[in-house]
Amino acid sequence: PQKTWGHRMGILWALLIFKMSSNWKVTVKGRENLPKGPAVFISNHESMADIIALFLLQCDFKWLAKKELFQVPFFGWSMALSGYIPLERGSIRSTAQSLDKARDYLKKGVSILIFPEGTRSEDGEMREFKGGAFKLAVEEKVPLIPVAITGTRHILQKGSWLLAKLVHVSI
């Protein structure tokens, strides 16, 4: 019911990507302090490379992700099979349904990861947070774990498919 197999393959995929790219240096701090039970993780969002970097937390969680990503061949299909949660931006109904699904996972002991800004930053500046992640953590009485990512927007900038040659990423 937790559909962890696909997520664990994502972790392996991320480890391989960063190992194979000798020019990308990654630092992950605080992983040993993560809670043993379910939590709501929130993270800033600078780049599609955040997805790869966040897998390096090496813990099970389900993403809330924009619905359009689930329509991308192979990538989207694997997201659906992994039990990630689609969200139609701008739809109050979809937001409520997504948060209900997130609640179900938390009750089953599975953590949730949300980008509370709602979209990627184009300039690295944080945007105003939406309140759903905070409300979810309070209502379900689970820890809210902030995650800060730096450097990923230099790997893959919004609107580009060109990868940088030398980057240091910190989580």
Side-chain angles (χ1 to χ4, degrees):
Q2 287 86 352
K3 300 182 179 185
T4 58
W5 185 86
H7 185 78
R8 291 186 181 156
M9 291 304 296
I11 292 171
L12 178 61
W13 168 70
L15 289 168
L16 288 172
I17 286 173
F18 279 106
K19 289 279 186 209
M20 290 181 352
S21 178
S22 60
N23 289 333
W24 296 348
K25 305 300 178 205
V26 180
T27 304
V28 180
K29 295 179 183 176
R31 187 172 38 221
E32 66 281 358
N33 298 323
L34 295 178
K36 301 293 182 222
V40 175
F41 290 85
I42 58 169
S43 176
N44 62 313
H45 199 10
E46 295 187 337
S47 164
M48 288 299 288
D50 295 341
I51 307 308
I52 302 166
L54 286 164
F55 275 123
L56 299 180
L57 290 173
Q58 297 184 33
C59 63
D60 289 329
F61 57 79
K62 301 297 179 198
W63 309 90
L64 258 73
K66 66 182 178 179
K67 180 179 157 185
E68 296 83 5
L69 291 176
F70 288 80
Q71 297 165 356
V72 176
F74 302 105
F75 178 76
W77 303 336
S78 68
M79 289 177 64
L81 289 171
S82 296
Y84 299 148
I85 304 168
L87 173 68
E88 186 177 341
R89 291 192 285 189
S91 167
I92 294 171
R93 182 174 179 220
S94 175
T95 299
Q97 290 172 336
S98 298
L99 291 175
D100 285 344
K101 182 72 174 170
R103 274 186 198 84
D104 290 343
Y105 275 122
L106 289 168
K107 288 175 182 167
K108 292 177 184 176
V110 180
S111 294
I112 300 296
L113 193 140
I114 298 174
F115 296 111
E117 294 171 275
T119 190
R120 288 174 283 153
S121 170
E122 292 185 25
D123 58 6
E125 293 294 317
M126 299 244 324
R127 297 175 178 212
E128 185 175 326
F129 285 4
K130 297 177 183 348
F134 303 95
K135 183 177 178 184
L136 182 64
V138 168
E139 288 177 352
E140 295 305 314
K141 298 176 177 62
V142 297
L144 182 73
I145 310 296
V147 179
I149 302 175
T150 60
T152 53
R153 76 182 177 103
H154 301 295
I155 290 177
L156 183 62
Q157 293 185 338
K158 188 171 183 175
S160 173
W161 289 101
L162 298 174
L163 298 175
K165 293 184 170 108
L166 178 61
V167 173
H168 185 161
V169 175
S170 295
I171 303 174

